[in-house]
Amino acid sequence: MTGPALRLALEIDGDGAHPAAWRRAAHSPDQLLTPRRVAQVAAVAENAGFTLVTLDDGVLPPGASPDPVGRMGAVERAAFIAASTSTIGIAPVVPVTYAEPFHVSSQLASLDHISAGRAGWVVAEEEHPEAARAWGRPLIADAGARVRESQDGVEVARALWDSWEDDAVIRSVATSRYLDRERLHYIDFTGETYAVKGPAIVPRPPQGQLVVLGRPDRVPAAQLDVALVEGRDLASVGTAAAGADAPRVFAEVEVALDTPQVTASERVADLERHAPWRDRGRLRHIGSADQLVFVLAELSRHVDGVRLHPLVLDEDLPVLSRLVLPALSERRLVARPLPGTSLRSTLGLERPANRFAAAAVAAQEDVR
């Protein structure tokens, strides 16, 4: 813990955390996969004062018949949001179980440039066998092997982000040189299933390294900036947070809030008639905004932030905006991101030095 501010993240994929959330959405199903819808939700979250939004993703459709299925790619949605917002952080979910880490690192570095340093990355896995067929790759059925792929993917991405030193781009008109080749580096990574040499094809991100979020049981703490921890109650979350050896720790919390028209319990019951709300082992709050403020205040004693998963975005986000965040702000438990700051700065994380530049400086000092 680094201070009183509780950073709040919001998952905005689809219509909400419940698989039948679309049935209570304030728009027709055909509007879900539109840029306007994505921009509207991100704008509401930014205006409310959320630290960042995350966008779930995977190669397979996010649901099953008879519910509407389909989504736009998380990185593409994140890039669109980056161009239409100014302060909120944007972290797409990008699995590297089958995707090429070289291309993932390039996409994410480009996102950080587009957003002027507001990008993050939620590391995830592709668990279903159908995902391997969709990628045209051999199946990785073993859970340990999937963890290894995630670890290798993050290691490669981080190395590639450093493969360009900060001042590698020189743009010298006099000499007709765009790059200083001495400041580009090969990373020479060799894992169990692939090798990558580099360097990257995108200059170093504005943040140096994007903010990497993930579960500490899937990605080593040394590779994480934010550990995402779970637990069905406050005590379990506190225990998980205490064991997460990462710079920042966020708790995963699912929420269904009372609205002026109907209670949270009634809303959940209405959707449960169509499909079950899957138990993911997360803390789940079903009740009033005041009660959620109390829960978040208690969580602030154990974690640096919370990622909220609303039951139905169109119903819960307005309540979060009008009642929850203002109440937390009055109690000085949250801080609104400031214009012109990077996501790393908002989270209180330092901008890391380039590993190759630091090694060169160390070598020069040894010579002296």
Side-chain angles (χ1 to χ4, degrees):
M1 299 290 292
T2 59
L6 186 71
R7 289 82 171 186
L8 293 182
L10 180 72
E11 171 57 49
I12 64 171
D13 180 62
D15 280 316
H18 196 284
W22 65 274
R23 295 179 180 273
R24 298 188 64 91
H27 62 85
S28 60
D30 64 318
Q31 294 178 359
L32 177 62
L33 301 181
T34 63
R36 177 175 296 181
R37 165 69 180 177
V38 172
Q40 286 175 340
V41 175
V44 173
E46 180 172 66
N47 292 335
F50 279 94
T51 299
L52 73 152
V53 293
T54 63
L55 301 105
D56 199 6
D57 201 5
V59 70
L60 300 177
S65 181
D67 297 319
V69 296
R71 57 160 61 108
M72 294 180 287
V75 175
E76 290 78 10
R77 284 178 287 164
F80 187 83
I81 291 172
S84 60
T85 56
S86 59
T87 61
I88 196 166
I90 309 143
V93 172
V94 185
V96 284
T97 307
Y98 301 107
E100 295 285 352
F102 186 94
H103 299 310
V104 169
S105 71
S106 299
Q107 290 177 316
L108 293 171
S110 298
L111 177 62
D112 204 42
H113 283 284
I114 295 169
S115 65
R118 292 181 288 126
W121 173 23
V122 182
V123 183
E125 297 179 2
E126 298 274 18
E127 299 180 357
H128 299 287
E130 294 82 358
R133 291 195 290 270
W135 277 102
R137 301 286 298 276
L139 173 64
I140 302 176
D142 180 66
R146 290 196 300 270
V147 169
R148 181 201 65 217
E149 292 298 317
S150 293
Q151 294 174 354
D152 287 354
V154 175
E155 183 177 347
V156 167
R158 285 196 177 279
L160 286 168
W161 293 333
D162 273 351
S163 65
W164 290 49
E165 294 184 31
D166 289 318
D167 51 359
V169 179
I170 55 177
R171 296 187 179 93
S172 173
V173 177
T175 61
S176 299
R177 295 172 64 213
Y178 176 75
L179 296 174
D180 181 347
R181 293 180 61 186
E182 297 299 318
R183 296 172 185 172
L184 267 64
H185 305 275
Y186 290 96
I187 68 168
D188 292 327
F189 172 85
T190 301
E192 292 190 33
T193 57
Y194 58 83
V196 179
K197 289 188 69 68
I201 58 175
V202 179
R204 195 174 193 227
Q207 296 183 97
Q209 295 276 320
L210 275 71
V211 175
V212 178
L213 306 89
R215 290 175 50 175
D217 60 337
R218 304 292 175 87
V219 183
Q223 294 180 327
L224 287 176
D225 296 299
V226 178
L228 301 174
V229 300
E230 300 174 341
R232 290 186 172 87
D233 51 45
L234 290 171
S236 300
V237 172
T239 300
D245 186 20
R248 300 290 178 269
V249 180
F250 276 38
E252 300 273 33
V253 179
E254 298 173 338
V255 297
L257 298 173
D258 295 340
T259 69
Q261 294 77 29
V262 64
T263 68
S265 297
E266 290 170 338
R267 294 172 52 225
V268 173
D270 176 52
L271 293 179
E272 291 290 280
R273 295 186 297 110
H274 305 284
W277 192 3
R278 176 185 168 192
D279 183 356
R280 298 176 181 271
R282 296 169 177 166
L283 179 62
R284 182 175 290 180
H285 171 77
I286 302 174
S288 71
D290 289 341
Q291 291 169 337
L292 178 60
V293 170
F294 174 80
V295 170
L296 295 178
E298 289 297 304
L299 283 171
S300 69
R301 300 165 52 190
H302 304 284
V303 297
D304 302 289
V306 172
R307 181 163 69 144
L308 298 176
H309 301 259
L311 179 80
V312 180
L313 276 168
D314 286 345
E315 293 182 320
D316 292 294
L317 184 51
V319 180
L320 291 168
S321 302
R322 292 197 308 266
L323 300 178
V324 176
L325 271 77
L328 292 171
S329 181
E330 288 179 5
R331 299 175 67 169
R332 298 189 177 183
L333 287 175
V334 296
R336 181 182 292 270
L338 298 175
T341 57
S342 69
L343 180 56
R344 297 192 72 88
S345 296
T346 299
L347 295 176
L349 299 169
E350 294 184 358
R351 186 180 189 273
N354 183 285
R355 69 186 69 186
F356 296 103
V361 171
Q364 292 177 355
E365 292 178 350
D366 290 341
V367 170
R368 294 173 186 171

